[in-house]
Amino acid sequence: MITVWGRRSSGNVQKVLWALTELGLGFERKVVGGQFGGGDDPAYRAMNPNGLVPVLQDGDVTLFESDAIVRHLARTRGMGTLQPADPAHAARADMWTCWAATTLFPAINPLFLGLVRTPRAAQDVAALKPAVAPLAERIGVLDRALAGRDFLCGATFSFGEIAPAIFARRALGLPFGAPAAPNVAAWLGRLADRPGFARWVDVPMGGCLEEWTAHEKALG
Ligand SMILES: N[C@@H](CCC(=O)N[C@@H](CS)C(=O)NCC(=O)O)C(=O)O
């Protein structure tokens, strides 16, 4: 029995939901985090002492940290597919997953929080301007890596596409400061054919909490 704890508006939760769908695994989801609360409940803190989402329960294995969860699913259910059999492909999947967490995420997050999670009337676009160039630089790195390639990490889809794609989609969907990156846009377009991306990631970014609450109810 697999249970995912987390609201679907979280990019880190989306990584796990996308991976589970790639693997065709059934799972139960408990909506926790953000406007839904629950992260401070003692029972939740016992699973994740940070109080953050996602958490995965896989039988008697309980994990936090989205990238570790995705790798666990890939190693245990996706050897040769989500988890590349070729060590070089697997190493590149690790590399781009680390890059997404340590380099891309910090560049997109101020703009995402300031423009998507903040109500329009409270947005301070001028204060966000310094964040635009660093994001463009990092998306430029991704764009050059994708030149002439269908996938970032190897000849086939693997877990290494997941984290970069989630944060790149946020970057290209920003209402202000979205970088121009034709190879990234084409890659996201190809990923949109994958049911896990279409269902969990490629949904309106629109943003306000009311919209996401409606998504949770309407989309499940
Ligand atoms: N490094 C952690 C970060 C987890 C994290 O920051 N989660 C955010 C959502 S993306 C969170 O739980 N925020 C508080 C909340 O939703 O209540 C991971 O990758 O799982």
Side-chain angles (χ1 to χ4, degrees), residues 38-125:
D40 287 328
D41 292 352
Y44 190 80
R45 289 264 167 172
M47 295 191 294
N48 183 353
N50 305 290
L52 300 173
V53 294
V55 160
L56 181 89
Q57 289 176 299
D58 179 9
D60 55 9
V61 177
T62 301
L63 297 171
F64 58 87
E65 285 300 329
S66 58
D67 294 328
I69 292 171
V70 168
R71 287 183 174 113
H72 164 76
L73 292 169
R75 277 197 303 267
T76 55
R77 311 323 200 281
M79 197 48 82
T81 57
L82 209 54
Q83 176 66 46
D86 169 34
H89 187 176
R92 286 192 296 272
D94 282 336
M95 177 180 80
W96 283 109
T97 299
C98 292
W99 179 83
T102 61
T103 305
L104 182 55
F105 173 77
I108 175 65
N109 207 39
L111 288 159
F112 184 77
L113 294 180
L115 296 168
V116 178
R117 292 286 195 255
T118 302
R120 194 172 293 272
Q123 290 178 7
D124 184 351
V125 172

Side-chain angles (χ1 to χ4, degrees), residues 83-205:
Q83 176 66 46
D86 169 34
H89 187 176
R92 286 192 296 272
D94 282 336
M95 177 180 80
W96 283 109
T97 299
C98 292
W99 179 83
T102 61
T103 305
L104 182 55
F105 173 77
I108 175 65
N109 207 39
L111 288 159
F112 184 77
L113 294 180
L115 296 168
V116 178
R117 292 286 195 255
T118 302
R120 194 172 293 272
Q123 290 178 7
D124 184 351
V125 172
L128 293 170
K129 274 193 177 153
V132 170
L135 176 63
E137 188 189 326
R138 285 160 197 196
I139 288 290
V141 168
L142 188 61
D143 204 57
R144 287 188 290 281
L146 280 162
R149 310 181 58 89
D150 281 347
F151 296 106
L152 183 60
C153 307
T156 54
F157 184 85
S158 74
F159 81 84
E161 313 289 314
I162 289 179
I166 285 173
F167 297 129
R169 183 184 175 279
R170 287 188 171 183
L172 268 59
L174 286 173
F176 162 82
N183 298 323
V184 175
W187 172 62
L188 293 174
R190 287 189 293 279
L191 294 175
D193 292 337
R194 307 188 78 85
F197 184 87
R199 170 148 193 221
W200 299 111
V201 186
D202 206 12
V203 292
M205 211 164 75

